[in-house]
């Protein structure tokens, strides 16, 4: 038998295709689950920034894929753009996988330009004076990082530095670019088969936050508490009808796993002698919209299937179609949304987290008293006390469940209408822990300190705490001087090792406390 006939026969017996490797594309998953983890470095006082999310998600997808016999490249389209390829786990292939790679970068102005380096394109220009449109052949000589340098028959120049409206025209899309984020693997199968494959991976650019809304009762002794679970996705991929959950607690996550993502817009730059007309029009528009607050926080939010133009975190009596269910996950807490929802690209979603009516609370007006290092005999300006909401996280007080970190807005009622009393933040609180949320300084309750005298050893002071409200208030003063150098006219309590004066100030009245501080020797 001739060598020409023998080679195809050997390849067929070996199960290896004689032509190019077969490519099988999976356009999307049949089922998907999204578990979102919070940004461990973000302060609860700072809401997630949709343009810069530091959390991540665990994505698990189920796909049915028709595998040919032999070796094939399987392309998973529609994965998250922020996928961490090293974290990907693929199961369900009969013969396993040979290799995996995120080798199809997302199509964008920047990647299109970078992949066209050295290629011939066309530049379309419109004259301001005549309105004439001219197309010129050019070769791209630089990447998308900074000024774009092109070479034309007239010489070498920088794009958008001529003062004329310009656009690059490409005759085709370079290989390796995809309109959708893609992960590919190579696999082998002894025979054609339809396999049910599970793909799980980590993806960056997600986050979530709890947003609490509390309505204070008329007597100030309890609140009706409600909380939203706000999910945020900065990824370009939408996950439709996903089984969605969020995890509270600190997870040992190595940020080094994150990989830089190619793509995005092109930020064009010119030399200093250029004019303001060289700045791209779209950049002017983005700058103007940012100043007006129309971007960077003004995105739509989907609330249990309903689109809202702006976040509605201050609804005192919200109506929720469903609430997340809390489950234990080792030392972590998992909040599962009971119905499939869509985690849309570059958007936020709110789902009811918890509802607790009649939670017992106490309102305290707290003030810090700091050392008078100068010793000057001057009257201090009255300092407003800070309103603090305190509670015990136990069933007897109306709570008794894990409370994830987040923001809180406290409302009261006046003339039948809700009125915002203050906003604050809370860190994670376990069952049985004390809960204290500092809101803001309030007028009407304040403290003023006056130095009443001094001798060679002591400086004497008087703290006057005043309340101009029509009801008594609980007041606390915490002294931050060295306790060993202080003497008080009455016995005080302690808070975290600091002297604490806790007193009730009658309505439209004031109370005083005299104390002295030992003079420190001059250095």
């Amino acid at each position: 038998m001739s060598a020409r006939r023998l080679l195809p026969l050997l390849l067929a017996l070996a199960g290896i295709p004689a032509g190019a490797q077969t490519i099988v594309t999976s356009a999307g998953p049949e089922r998907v689950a999204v578990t979102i983890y919070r940004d461990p470095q973000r302060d609860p006082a700072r809401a997630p920034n949709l343009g810069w999310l530091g959390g991540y998600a665990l994505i698990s997808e189920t796909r049915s894929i028709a595998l040919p016999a032999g070796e094939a490249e399987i392309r998973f389209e529609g994965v998250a753009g922020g996928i961490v390829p090293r974290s990907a786990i693929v199961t369900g292939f009969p013969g396993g996988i040979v290799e995996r790679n995120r080798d199809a970068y997302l199509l964008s102005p920047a990647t299109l330009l970078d992949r066209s380096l050295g290629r011939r394109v066309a530049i379309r220009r419109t004259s301001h004076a005549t309105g004439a449109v001219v197309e010129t052949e050019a070769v791209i000589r630089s990447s998308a990082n900074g000024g774009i340098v092109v070479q034309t028959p007239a010489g070498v120049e920088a794009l958008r530095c001529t003062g004329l409206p310009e656009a690059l025209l490409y005759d085709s899309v370079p290989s390796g670019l995809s309109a959708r984020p893609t992960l590919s693997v190579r696999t082998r199968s002894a025979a054609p088969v339809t396999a049910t494959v599970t793909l799980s991976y980590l993806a960056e650019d997600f986050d979530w936050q709890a947003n609490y809304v509390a309505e204070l009762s008329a007597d100030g002794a309890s609140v009706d508490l409600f909380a939203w679970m706000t999910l945020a996705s900065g990824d370009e991929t939408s996950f439709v009808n996903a089984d969605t959950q969020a995890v509270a607690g600190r997870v040992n996550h190595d940020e080094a796993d994150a990989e830089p993502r190619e793509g995005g817009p092109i930020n064009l730059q010119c030399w200093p002698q250029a004019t303001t007309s060289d700045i791209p029009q779209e950049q002017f528009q983005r700058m103007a919209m940012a100043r007006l607050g129309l971007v960077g926080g003004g995105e739509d939010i989907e609330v249990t299937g309903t689109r809202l133009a702006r976040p509605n975190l201050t609804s005192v009596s919200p109506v929720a179609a469903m609430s997340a269910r809390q489950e234990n996950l080792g030392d972590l807490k998992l909040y599962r949304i009971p119905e499939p929802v869509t985690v849309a690209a570059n958007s936020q979603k709110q789902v009811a987290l918890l509802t607790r009516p009649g939670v017992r609370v106490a309102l305290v007006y707290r003030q810090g008293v700091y050392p008078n290092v100068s010793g000057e005999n001057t009257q201090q300006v009255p300092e407003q006390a800070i309103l603090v909401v305190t509670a015990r996280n136990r069933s007897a007080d109306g709570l008794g469940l894990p409370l994830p970190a987040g923001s809180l807005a406290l409302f009261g009622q006046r003339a039948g209408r809700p009125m915002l009393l203050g906003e604050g933040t809370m860190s994670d609180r376990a069952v049985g822990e004390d809960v204290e949320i500092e809101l803001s300084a309030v007028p009407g309750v304040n403290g003023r300190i006056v130095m009443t005298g001094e001798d060679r050893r002591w400086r004497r002071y008087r703290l006057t705490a005043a309340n101009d409200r029509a009801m008594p208030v609980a007041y606390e003063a915490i002294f931050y001087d060295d306790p060993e150098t202080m003497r008080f006219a009455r016995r005080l309590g302690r808070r975290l090792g600091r002297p604490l004066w806790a007193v009730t100030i009658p309505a439209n009245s004031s109370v005083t406390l005299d104390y002295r501080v030992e003079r420190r020797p001059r250095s």
Side-chain angles (χ1 to χ4, degrees):
M1 182 180 295
S2 67
R4 180 178 299 178
R5 296 181 180 181
L6 180 61
L7 180 59
L9 177 61
L10 293 175
L11 291 174
L13 293 175
I16 301 175
Q21 180 175 267
T22 304
I23 296 178
V24 179
T25 299
S26 172
E30 285 87 32
R31 297 191 305 276
V32 62
V34 179
T35 303
I36 299 178
Y37 294 78
R38 295 181 310 193
D39 178 0
Q41 306 302 324
R42 178 176 54 81
D43 192 308
R46 183 168 50 88
N49 177 5
L50 194 58
W52 190 267
L53 299 176
Y56 55 97
L58 172 62
I59 314 294
S60 183
E61 304 177 355
T62 302
R63 305 181 183 225
S64 296
I65 302 176
L67 301 176
E71 187 171 297
E73 177 183 335
I74 313 300
R75 297 172 66 84
F76 294 91
E77 288 189 347
V79 297
I83 183 175
V84 180
R86 290 190 297 274
S87 70
I89 300 175
V90 185
T91 60
F93 286 120
I97 62 174
V98 179
E99 68 177 21
R100 63 190 177 205
N101 189 24
R102 187 189 186 276
D103 57 357
Y105 290 102
L106 194 63
L107 180 64
S108 70
T111 54
L112 186 59
L113 185 74
D114 285 340
R115 294 302 179 93
S116 300
L117 189 63
R119 291 182 54 193
R120 289 183 179 271
V121 296
I123 300 178
R124 177 180 293 167
R125 290 171 170 163
T126 303
S127 172
H128 283 299
T130 65
V133 178
V134 179
E135 291 188 7
T136 305
E137 197 173 52
V139 177
I140 297 176
R141 295 302 187 190
S142 72
S143 67
N145 185 18
I148 299 175
V149 178
V150 296
Q151 183 177 358
T152 68
V156 177
E157 60 180 88
L159 194 68
R160 290 283 182 93
C161 288
T162 63
L164 301 176
E166 298 170 330
L168 288 178
L169 305 179
Y170 301 83
D171 57 3
S172 63
V173 177
S175 61
L177 294 184
S178 172
R180 306 176 65 194
T182 303
L183 178 79
S184 69
V185 300
R186 281 199 302 122
T187 185
R188 295 190 183 100
S189 179
V193 65
T194 298
T196 300
V197 178
T198 300
L199 168 64
S200 300
Y201 56 89
L202 295 177
E204 305 294 326
D205 216 7
F206 291 84
D207 205 352
W208 77 277
Q209 167 115 343
N211 296 101
Y212 297 88
V213 181
E215 182 178 358
L216 186 65
S217 62
D219 60 4
S222 65
V223 297
D224 292 336
L225 185 65
F226 177 84
W228 290 111
M229 181 170 68
T230 304
L231 309 177
S233 168
D235 200 87
E236 55 263 39
T237 300
S238 293
F239 299 95
V240 181
N241 293 328
D243 296 326
T244 306
Q245 45 265 328
V247 173
R250 185 172 290 273
V251 181
N252 185 18
H253 172 61
D254 186 5
E255 294 185 1
D257 283 343
E259 294 187 352
R261 297 162 68 174
E262 289 194 0
I266 300 175
N267 296 318
L268 300 176
Q269 302 172 10
C270 295
W271 289 279
Q273 62 265 32
T275 64
T276 55
S277 62
D278 299 329
I279 300 178
Q281 181 67 24
E282 58 268 25
Q283 184 173 343
F284 270 122
Q285 293 174 352
R286 288 196 300 269
M287 294 166 59
M289 292 176 70
R291 286 195 299 270
L292 295 174
L294 300 178
V295 294
E299 295 79 10
D300 286 351
I301 289 184
E302 185 174 344
V303 182
T304 58
T306 302
R307 302 296 294 185
L308 298 182
R310 295 286 293 181
N312 181 18
L313 304 181
T314 57
S315 175
V316 180
S317 300
V319 178
M322 57 184 171
S323 296
R325 298 170 183 169
Q326 185 255 314
E327 304 173 10
N328 291 326
L329 185 65
D331 293 333
L332 307 173
K333 302 300 177 183
L334 183 141
Y335 297 89
R336 186 186 304 276
I337 299 175
E339 302 175 12
V341 296
T342 295
V343 181
N346 299 301
S347 68
Q348 300 181 63
K349 175 181 290 294
Q350 287 181 315
V351 176
L353 179 63
L354 61 87
T355 303
R356 285 293 185 275
V359 177
R360 189 180 304 169
V361 298
L363 301 183
V364 177
Y365 295 84
R366 184 174 293 165
Q367 184 176 3
V369 179
Y370 297 91
N372 181 6
V373 294
S374 66
E376 295 180 357
N377 187 12
T378 58
Q379 177 175 307
Q380 294 187 6
V381 176
E383 180 182 346
Q384 293 179 345
I386 295 176
L387 177 60
V388 182
V389 180
T390 66
R392 293 287 303 275
N393 190 8
R394 57 186 184 182
S395 300
D397 290 339
L399 285 175
L401 74 168
L403 299 174
S407 64
L408 179 136
L410 178 66
F411 289 83
Q413 290 285 336
R414 174 171 293 181
R417 300 182 61 182
M419 181 181 65
L420 181 64
L421 301 179
E423 296 178 284
T425 57
M426 177 182 65
S427 56
D428 290 326
R429 285 291 178 263
V431 175
E433 280 193 292
D434 291 338
V435 178
E436 290 193 352
I437 303 175
E438 291 189 356
L439 300 183
S440 55
V442 294
V445 180
N446 58 65
R448 181 172 59 189
I449 301 173
V450 176
M451 191 170 71
T452 58
E454 63 178 327
D455 54 33
R456 296 182 61 182
R457 182 178 179 186
W458 301 96
R459 290 194 180 103
R460 296 175 176 81
Y461 298 93
R462 172 169 294 171
L463 169 59
T464 301
N467 170 29
D468 68 357
R469 297 177 174 243
M471 62 182 65
V473 299
Y475 174 85
E476 291 181 353
I478 303 176
F479 294 85
Y480 289 93
D481 216 327
D482 183 359
E484 298 299 323
T485 66
M486 305 188 73
R487 301 292 184 273
F488 297 92
R490 66 189 68 180
R491 186 179 182 86
L492 301 187
R494 291 274 173 165
R495 175 181 171 80
L496 301 177
R498 301 287 184 182
L500 171 68
W501 181 36
V503 64
T504 298
I505 309 176
N508 298 308
S509 186
S510 63
V511 293
T512 61
L513 173 67
D514 291 325
Y515 64 97
R516 54 183 176 165
V517 180
E518 190 172 13
R519 296 172 65 101
R520 295 185 178 87
R522 298 181 182 275
S523 57

